Amino acid sequence: MNKIELQTLADEILFHIRKKPRKIFEILRLAIKFGVETDEVIRATKVLKKWGYGVRLNKNELTFLSPTDALSSTEILYYLKTKIIGKPMASFKSLKSTNDLASQMAAGCTGEGEVITSEKQTLGRGRLGRSWHSPEKVGAYVSIILRPKMSPDKAPGLSIMTALAAAETFEKYCPGKVKIKWPNDILLGNRKVAGVLTELFTKQNKINYVVVGIGININQKQTDFPQTIRKLATSLRQVSGKKINRAELTAEFLEHFEKEYKSYPKSQLGGSLKRIRAYSSLLGQTITLKTGDKSLTGQAIDIDRTGALIVEVDGEKVTVSGGEVTVVKRP
Ligand code: BTN
């Protein structure tokens, strides 16, 4: 059995034992089930150990002790209960950027809902040409390929829809502390815990595909962040006080995402506006919004069903669909 065959066997055994409530398996029975020699089951068990699973070989038995902390597709799929989003899913140990790979795949013929995840990114990208700090073992870097049947002008609202899905996921871990900073940041208190990067690709004025990427700070300690963002960033672990299972959280996020996305091509944010408004950190605040070299200051008064922010400037309502916001502190 070569390395690839052995890894495939390890994956198959894992899939089988991961979904059974019992924890002890007879090696001979596993060998019969997968049509291989018992020696090969033993070799595959060693592969599972290398992947970080707690597994013990004892005489004729294999005992499953604990899941791996890795952000692998097997682990995410173990928790995932979606129909389209994440079916299928491809997980990598290291990528330059999950958005870049998703985009390359979508330019081929990859269908709607495929998810790409990576344990780390070497060139993680943020909005406005910024980078996204993407170290291994502590975060989640996830991109979703979408092919919505709607006009391209409806795509910008997907960012805040994704932020809502993330906010509702994080609520379980940090109740009452989650905020959405329009258009694409998720905050705990006033520090950023996750960011969304939505990229739209059109063909003859129609949506060819959209890649929605999210980076989530899950188990970082404050010192894990580079100095430049240490005062601005936080993680779910820091605020909840608990180490979080990254695969489980990623699956929960994808489930929330699927629920929100189902009605989006037809009615955009119609069904979710109330919740978005409730999470918003900006509504009612005086803000300065920069788009390119233009800047305006006014009061953020609403978010509409396309995801645009409505700002009152000198008594007039201005609708803006993107930009960078800073809250103006009252003297
Ligand atoms: C931002 O806040 O500026 C957006 C950050 C988006 C980061 C994610 S991580 C997964 C995906 N791949 C990337 O290169 N970027 C997004």
Side-chain angles (χ1 to χ4, degrees):
M1 195 175 266
N2 66 29
K3 202 173 159 192
I4 306 263
E5 287 165 341
L6 191 63
Q7 287 185 347
T8 308
L9 176 65
D11 215 25
E12 282 168 359
I13 292 176
L14 180 64
F15 193 72
H16 175 69
I17 64 178
R18 197 71 179 85
K19 55 182 190 194
K20 299 268 191 243
R22 70 196 152 90
K23 301 275 179 259
I24 302 176
F25 302 85
E26 237 181 90
I27 290 172
L28 180 59
R29 274 184 183 276
L30 289 174
I32 293 167
K33 175 162 179 63
F34 292 103
V36 296
E37 300 284 342
T38 51
D39 276 4
E40 285 165 335
V41 174
I42 292 168
R43 283 177 66 205
T45 308
K46 291 180 183 152
V47 172
L48 293 181
K49 272 192 191 160
K50 222 166 111 194
W51 288 349
Y53 286 91
V55 278
R56 193 174 53 215
L57 281 172
N58 208 344
K59 286 189 195 152
N60 307 322
E61 286 167 349
L62 181 163
T63 308
F64 183 79
L65 300 168
S66 57
T68 176
D69 183 46
L71 193 71
S72 68
S73 54
T74 313
E75 277 306 295
I76 300 170
L77 288 170
Y78 172 74
Y79 295 103
L80 193 65
K81 296 191 280 286
T82 52
K83 283 210 172 84
I84 300 163
I85 305 297
K87 311 282 174 75
M89 179 173 324
S91 296
F92 295 81
K93 282 205 171 134
S94 177
L95 285 177
K96 283 185 183 159
S97 154
T98 54
N99 264 38
D100 288 354
L101 182 67
S103 172
Q104 279 164 26
M105 288 168 68
C109 56
T110 303
E112 166 141 293
E114 174 135 16
V115 166
I116 315 295
T117 73
S118 189
E119 185 59 62
K120 69 171 184 182
Q121 294 183 119
T122 52
L123 278 175
R125 294 188 290 110
R127 279 173 76 234
L128 310 167
R130 297 193 182 118
S131 61
W132 184 259
H133 183 238
S134 314
E136 61 187 336
K137 296 195 172 126
V138 286
Y141 317 108
V142 180
S143 295
I144 307 168
I145 296 170
L146 302 172
R147 298 189 185 277
K149 290 189 177 55
M150 60 185 195
S151 55
D153 58 308
K154 299 201 167 120
L158 283 167
S159 283
I160 203 146
M161 186 213 84
T162 307
L164 174 65
E168 295 197 322
T169 310
F170 303 165
E171 194 64 43
K172 172 179 153 191
Y173 299 89
C174 304
K177 295 183 178 152
V178 190
K179 290 269 163 228
I180 295 174
K181 183 178 172 215
W182 182 91
N184 77 322
D185 291 352
I186 303 97
L187 313 178
L188 292 175
N190 54 8
R191 290 179 183 226
K192 183 157 166 174
V193 66
V196 178
L197 178 67
T198 303
E199 295 180 299
L200 168 69
F201 298 84
T202 54
K203 213 182 201 175
Q204 287 153 1
N205 278 335
K206 286 192 176 139
I207 292 184
N208 186 9
Y209 59 89
V210 180
V211 173
V212 174
I214 183 165
I216 312 174
N217 301 331
I218 304 178
N219 285 325
Q220 280 94 335
K221 299 190 200 97
Q222 207 56 32
T223 46
D224 289 334
F225 294 111
Q227 279 290 357
T228 46
I229 57 168
R230 207 167 278 174
K231 290 209 171 98
L232 306 171
T234 192
S235 72
L236 287 159
R237 181 185 186 173
Q238 280 182 66
V239 176
S240 68
K242 286 182 203 121
K243 189 167 181 225
I244 291 166
N245 182 315
R246 290 179 298 141
E248 189 175 2
L249 179 119
T250 302
E252 288 165 350
F253 161 71
L254 295 173
E255 282 160 25
H256 280 285
F257 184 94
E258 182 166 281
K259 262 188 219 144
E260 298 302 328
Y261 179 64
K262 227 184 244 167
S263 54
Y264 190 91
K266 232 180 179 179
S267 44
Q268 287 82 66
L269 300 170
S272 41
L273 265 183
K274 226 170 139 183
R275 288 170 292 142
I276 291 175
R277 288 182 184 127
Y279 275 117
S280 172
S281 68
L282 295 184
L283 296 185
Q285 307 260 35
T286 303
I287 58 156
T288 295
L289 188 131
K290 280 197 186 133
T291 349
D293 50 8
K294 285 191 196 137
S295 160
L296 62 81
T297 297
Q299 198 186 24
I301 55 170
D302 203 4
I303 293 167
D304 72 14
R305 61 189 294 137
T306 68
L309 184 70
I310 300 168
V311 189
E312 197 172 282
V313 187
D314 301 329
E316 252 183 60
K317 285 183 186 166
V318 182
T319 303
V320 280
S321 61
E324 188 165 28
V325 178
T326 41
V327 173
V328 178
K329 293 221 168 71
R330 290 191 184 95

